[in-house]
Amino acid sequence: MVLGLLEVGMVCPYCGAELADGARFCVGCGAALDGAQTMPVAESAVAPAPVGSSAPGKKPKKGVVIAIVCAVVIVVGGGGGLAYHLYQQHVQEQEQYESAHSKHALVVSVKAEGWDTDNGASRVPVRVEGKTVDGKKVDKVEYVASDGSGIKLIQGKYTLKAAGSPIAADGTIYQVPCTKAKLTLDDAFAKGEKIDLAELAEQDSVLDFTPIDAADVTDDEINDAVTLAMAYKGKDAPNVDALQHAATNRRDTAVAAKKAAEEEAARKAEEQRKAAARHIEAQTFSVDLPEYWDGRVTVEVDGDTITVRSKLYPSRVVIALIGSANPDRNMGDVAGGAIKIVPLSDNFFVRLGRTSWSYVAADEAHSKKYFGSSHYSDSVSEEEATELTDLQSLGTVSYSKILSDFLASEDSHYSDGLAQQDKAMQDALTPSLKL
């Protein structure tokens, strides 16, 4: 437009630079001008001579020109100051916006025995919930490395907590902590400032993972950890298949070891129970029966007399231990009597007495074979003799061997197996006899 002798243009409302007509962007600061209020500025121009005026080269009066120029300078000067103020405000707002939306790298403290992402472990999954400075809702899972890196956030209010367990290189699975860290990111932090969460959080922010005993890890715990590990797609993502195999193998090995340990403990407990059952206490002395007799004999205690019977044949006494100050010194014979008298002190003795059932049965069989009859009123069957011989010899002699020796000839009434079975009982019982 034309104002007197001046042509009025437009200037940028942000930096004051002159603008071309219809410009959409400022050539000075680059600001978009769509919808912006531009400012007028006057420029000198030669006004056309009015019709019927005097000669074309005639200048206007000096006083009129000066007045118009001064008016325009006042207008332009005021508009330029406003434009500069608006520009500074725009710059400040832009800086504030960029600061609020710049990402802050968080350092998250993690404790987990044996966990190291540099050695192939998966990252720790951390759930981030909250709102950004723009009010945008945030609910996502980020992944933290051993150095604490992995989470970047713009200004806002957030809560961080463990979303699951990482997997260590050896397959360790961890108990997920319940710790929550609450933090507020605002203008107190410089643009892009790195932040140690432990120094910022309003409560304990250390994620402390406790290893789960390998034998107690479930398939669900392994699968959950694997699913989270697979969701991380960073360049340093681990070999999840290898981690899953390591976790499963570690658990299975531990379960097998635990089962073996439990079985061994049960075996020892049973041994202790049996040992306790084998320990027999009379009034004055005690004795430990041989393990070979476990479950095959019964025991009766009467004062200082301990009577051991066959469980299959209760009427048959395997051995009787009789303690006294004056023991019966009659040792008997090969068929029955004492096999040994054991002194436990100067005035207390234990007499080991037995009936040799193998001798009785074999002698009876010999009499029937060679003489057609037996002089024993209490016949002992071959089944009884077999069991009783095995008990009295503690498995060192068989009844069939003794019987074979007896039946070898009409004059044969002895077998070296008889002495062997007596010695076996002496050796088994004598060492454990105590007052």
Side-chain angles (χ1 to χ4, degrees):
M1 67 179 177
V2 177
L3 183 62
L5 294 178
L6 300 179
E7 183 178 335
V8 181
M10 296 297 174
V11 297
C12 175
Y14 301 114
C15 67
E18 292 185 15
L19 304 173
D21 288 342
R24 296 176 58 194
F25 297 92
C26 174
V27 296
C29 67
L33 301 174
D34 291 346
Q37 185 65 42
T38 56
M39 300 297 297
V41 62
E43 297 180 357
S44 297
V46 178
V51 178
S53 64
S54 56
K58 187 177 181 180
K59 295 181 180 180
K61 294 181 179 180
K62 185 176 183 180
V64 175
V65 173
I66 293 173
I68 292 174
V69 170
C70 288
V72 172
V73 169
I74 292 173
V75 172
V76 174
L82 176 60
Y84 181 75
H85 171 74
L86 292 175
Y87 170 69
Q88 291 298 320
Q89 182 178 351
H90 169 73
V91 171
Q92 184 179 8
E93 290 175 352
Q94 187 68 21
E95 290 177 349
Q96 290 175 347
Y97 180 86
E98 291 178 358
S99 178
H101 292 78
S102 65
K103 291 187 176 181
H104 296 277
L106 300 185
V107 177
V108 181
S109 297
V110 178
K111 290 182 179 179
E113 182 182 348
W115 171 73
D116 187 353
T117 54
D118 291 336
N119 289 332
S122 66
R123 290 193 171 206
V124 168
V126 177
R127 181 167 293 280
V128 181
E129 299 174 325
K131 288 185 178 181
T132 66
V133 67
D134 302 318
K136 184 179 178 181
K137 184 178 180 181
V138 176
D139 188 354
K140 60 182 179 178
V141 175
E142 300 285 8
Y143 293 83
V144 176
S146 296
D147 62 1
S149 65
I151 300 178
K152 293 183 178 181
L153 298 172
I154 65 172
Q155 286 187 10
K157 292 185 177 181
Y158 307 97
T159 298
L160 279 66
K161 62 182 179 181
S165 169
I167 308 175
D170 67 352
T172 298
I173 301 293
Y174 300 85
Q175 191 78 34
V176 180
C178 298
T179 305
K180 289 184 179 181
K182 295 181 179 180
L183 65 152
T184 300
L185 300 178
D186 53 25
D187 291 334
F189 301 97
K191 180 180 177 180
E193 180 181 351
K194 189 174 182 180
I195 299 170
D196 189 335
L197 184 60
E199 298 176 358
L200 176 65
E202 298 174 7
Q203 62 189 60
D204 183 15
S205 61
V206 176
L207 297 178
D208 195 350
F209 288 84
T210 303
I212 301 175
D213 188 274
D216 296 331
V217 174
T218 65
D219 285 336
D220 287 343
E221 287 170 330
I222 294 176
N223 292 335
D224 288 346
V226 167
T227 299
L228 287 166
M230 292 178 66
Y232 176 64
K233 302 300 182 181
K235 293 182 179 180
D236 61 341
N239 185 333
V240 180
D241 288 340
L243 290 177
Q244 182 176 20
H245 176 74
T248 302
N249 185 64
R250 181 173 182 270
R251 189 272 312 278
D252 293 345
T253 300
V255 168
K258 183 178 180 180
K259 182 179 179 182
E262 290 173 347
E263 291 175 348
E264 177 64 14
R267 184 188 67 78
K268 288 182 177 180
E270 180 64 13
E271 284 184 354
Q272 291 174 354
R273 184 194 67 77
K274 289 180 177 179
R278 290 193 292 268
H279 182 74
I280 310 299
E281 293 190 357
Q283 182 174 316
T284 307
F285 72 98
S286 66
V287 67
D288 292 332
L289 302 184
E291 183 180 353
Y292 193 76
W293 289 353
D294 283 355
R296 299 173 65 189
V297 298
T298 60
V299 180
E300 301 169 1
V301 179
D302 181 11
D304 273 330
T305 298
I306 299 174
T307 304
V308 180
R309 296 179 180 274
S310 166
K311 194 171 183 178
L312 282 177
Y313 307 103
S315 64
R316 308 303 189 187
V317 174
V318 177
I319 196 165
L321 298 87
I322 303 172
S324 68
N326 297 297
D328 181 1
R329 297 290 179 176
N330 180 13
M331 301 300 290
D333 56 26
V334 67
I339 57 174
K340 191 172 185 179
I341 296 176
V342 182
L344 298 185
S345 70
D346 293 340
N347 56 4
F348 192 86
F349 305 84
V350 176
R351 184 177 188 270
L352 308 181
R354 57 87 182 98
T355 295
S356 179
W357 300 108
S358 57
Y359 177 88
V360 172
D363 188 53
E364 183 178 17
H366 178 271
S367 296
K368 288 181 178 180
K369 177 179 180 180
Y370 291 104
F371 304 106
S373 63
S374 170
H375 59 276
Y376 291 97
S377 59
D378 184 11
S379 180
V380 178
S381 68
E382 186 173 345
E383 291 78 10
E384 286 180 298
T386 299
E387 171 68 6
L388 294 168
T389 301
D390 189 61
L391 289 172
Q392 290 184 322
S393 70
L394 282 84
T396 61
V397 180
S398 67
Y399 171 67
S400 60
K401 193 272 182 190
I402 294 175
L403 178 61
S404 176
D405 290 343
F406 268 67
L407 298 179
S409 69
E410 181 178 341
D411 297 330
S412 177
H413 289 277
Y414 186 75
S415 169
D416 56 5
L418 298 174
Q420 190 173 343
Q421 73 178 10
D422 287 345
K423 183 178 184 304
M425 280 197 292
Q426 288 182 42
D427 294 344
L429 298 172
T430 300
S432 67
L433 285 168
K434 293 181 178 60
L435 287 174

